[in-house]
Amino acid sequence: MMSRAERSPLADWWWTVDRGLLAGLGCLMVAGLVFLMGGGPPVAERIGLPTFYFLNRQALYLAPTILLIIAVSFLSVRHIRRFALVTWIVGVALCIAAGKFGPEIKGAHRWIQFGPFGLQPSEFVKPAFVVVAAWAFSEGAQRRDMPGGLLAILLLPVTIVPLILQPDFGQTMLITMVWCALFFVAGLHWFWVAGLGVLGLTGVFAAYTFLHHVRERINRFMDRDSGDSFQEFWSRESFNSGGWFGTGPGEGVAKRHLPDAHTDFIFSVTGEEFGVLVCLGLVALFAYIVLRGLKLARRTDDTFSRLAITGLSTLFGLQACINMAVNTQLMPAKGMTLPFVSYGGSSLISLALGMGFLVALTRKRPRTTMLSQRPPGTLPSAVPGIMQ
């Protein structure tokens, strides 16, 4: 155990980091490996891979995931902003490249191939966008000579247009919802809240009208007999079969029919084999991490940190909610992974980046340190209304 008297960088990190947040993330990673033992083997065997291929790969990805969380959590607030800005620029550029040159997978161009390795750049855009948008909002709130609010507004279309063109409606919706949450926390007037709500509904209607795959998913969700509802049926059947206590590890049947049992529908597999009670425990774990982040956001005096922590916590929680809502038939299918539980290298590494930002921003920092990282000529203040 490290002593408080020790002044090494590692000791400083240990005594300033929020260990409750780290513990929650660690429990989630372990739970993901356990649940993947049930969902991964049937999919691997169906496509001719070794039985525990996905489990072994997930365990392999966890090593750089943990290292990235720890490495990013050492960054100062200034370096977090710069790192996020570079990541956002590169990520948006790669999203455009993926839409033009990426391979078509399930009717969309979302991936970039680097030899044998595939990368989904939109996953890395999400946490970087949250930090950059929080930066813009905070600068607009603190400096009258900085059009931060306008920059934050312009950031949204620049980010989501490449995603719409891929098309990736799920990630577009997630990023837009988090941006709206940031805008609200930054002091958005209720008049603008209503306006954003109308704009969002207009966007959904436009997507339903002009995007065939969106219209197909919504129609299938509203009317089970309107099309192929194979995944929806087995997702629903998994919870019916599992009941409160589950059929037992490895005894599930639905996972042998679900094509994405190791990714998008891992929550359904968990419900069948481990039961609804374990699923509720998993929901509670996600809720703990999100509420912990929001609680820490309230404690900070720095405007940027408060907004960024709120945005990153909201992003994490909304992604989990969307995945679980799809699995429980409360939403149409979105192709959204369950954070740290679903299989996926790009998903894990991007989550590590976002959680690294979150851990870094929630570290206990002396007030003098926060003040020294403000641009010259600015003063600390609460977040005022951007549009009153």
Side-chain angles (χ1 to χ4, degrees):
M1 193 67 182
M2 284 178 249
S3 168
R4 287 183 180 271
E6 188 179 344
R7 302 308 302 169
S8 67
L10 184 59
D12 286 341
W13 176 84
W14 177 252
W15 291 113
T16 57
V17 78
D18 188 80
R19 293 189 289 277
L21 190 59
L22 283 180
L25 294 173
C27 290
L28 204 53
M29 293 179 197
V30 173
L33 288 178
V34 173
F35 299 146
L36 194 57
M37 289 179 68
V43 180
E45 292 172 358
R46 190 162 55 241
I47 59 179
L49 295 173
T51 302
F52 293 105
Y53 173 84
F54 294 115
L55 178 64
N56 293 335
R57 296 270 293 186
Q58 188 83 341
L60 188 65
Y61 286 135
L62 278 180
T65 295
I66 295 170
L67 288 176
L68 183 59
I69 291 176
I70 295 174
V72 173
S73 68
F74 273 90
L75 296 178
S76 66
V77 174
R78 180 183 293 111
H79 289 118
I80 288 171
R81 291 192 291 236
R82 293 174 179 174
F83 186 27
L85 179 60
V86 172
T87 303
W88 177 76
I89 293 173
V90 174
V92 170
L94 288 177
C95 283
I96 296 172
K100 289 183 175 292
F101 310 110
E104 182 176 339
I105 300 175
K106 296 182 179 180
H109 301 266
R110 303 173 185 172
W111 292 80
I112 288 285
Q113 288 295 134
F114 296 98
F117 300 101
L119 179 72
Q120 189 174 358
S122 61
E123 292 285 351
F124 296 88
V125 168
K126 291 186 295 186
F129 168 80
V130 170
V131 175
V132 174
W135 187 9
F137 278 126
S138 65
E139 290 298 308
Q142 296 169 11
R143 299 176 60 180
R144 294 182 179 179
D145 61 331
M146 171 66 73
L150 178 61
L151 288 175
I153 292 172
L154 294 176
L155 279 172
L156 182 64
V158 172
T159 303
I160 65 174
V161 167
L163 299 180
I164 294 173
L165 295 177
Q166 288 183 350
D168 193 343
F169 185 68
Q171 301 284 19
T172 300
M173 185 180 71
L174 177 60
I175 288 175
T176 304
M177 291 170 67
V178 175
W179 181 86
C180 290
L182 275 176
F183 211 160
F184 179 73
V185 173
L188 179 64
H189 194 277
W190 284 105
F191 172 80
W192 293 101
V193 174
L196 283 175
V198 172
L199 190 62
L201 291 175
T202 304
V204 172
F205 179 76
Y208 178 84
T209 304
F210 299 108
L211 298 177
H212 173 72
H213 74 285
V214 174
R215 181 167 61 251
E216 195 174 63
R217 287 186 177 184
I218 293 177
N219 287 341
R220 191 163 61 239
F221 175 75
M222 299 301 294
D223 181 8
R224 308 294 183 188
D225 300 324
S226 63
D228 180 16
S229 57
F230 181 80
Q231 288 195 132
E232 290 79 0
F233 169 78
W234 282 108
S235 176
R236 184 170 61 253
E237 187 64 24
S238 64
F239 289 101
N240 293 334
S241 174
W244 287 102
F245 303 103
T247 58
E251 300 298 323
V253 175
K255 64 185 180 183
R256 305 189 182 281
H257 302 275
L258 287 167
D260 299 316
H262 61 316
T263 53
D264 299 351
F265 289 94
I266 189 71
F267 191 66
S268 296
V269 175
T270 302
E272 182 176 23
E273 298 194 348
F274 294 89
V276 173
L277 288 178
V278 171
C279 287
L280 291 175
L282 187 60
V283 172
L285 183 55
F286 278 110
Y288 167 77
I289 294 172
V290 173
L291 293 176
R292 184 77 179 176
L294 295 177
K295 180 180 179 181
L296 293 169
R298 289 186 60 189
R299 292 180 178 178
T300 182
D301 295 324
D302 180 60
T303 303
F304 163 72
S305 296
R306 184 185 306 118
L307 288 171
I309 294 169
T310 301
L312 290 167
S313 300
T314 303
L315 174 68
F316 184 80
L318 279 177
Q319 181 169 335
C321 286
I322 290 172
N323 177 275
M324 291 185 286
V326 168
N327 277 254
T328 53
Q329 304 301 294
L330 297 176
M331 287 181 66
K334 286 287 180 292
M336 198 80 65
T337 58
L338 190 58
F340 292 116
V341 178
S342 296
Y343 169 80
S346 292
S347 177
L348 271 182
I349 301 302
S350 68
L351 284 165
L353 179 64
M355 292 301 99
F357 287 151
L358 182 62
V359 173
L361 291 167
T362 54
R363 287 178 60 187
K364 299 173 184 175
R365 302 178 190 272
R367 184 175 176 80
T368 53
T369 302
M370 301 303 299
L371 291 174
S372 67
Q373 294 176 346
R374 297 178 183 277
T378 62
L379 294 173
S381 63
V383 185
I386 291 179
M387 299 179 182
Q388 298 291 346

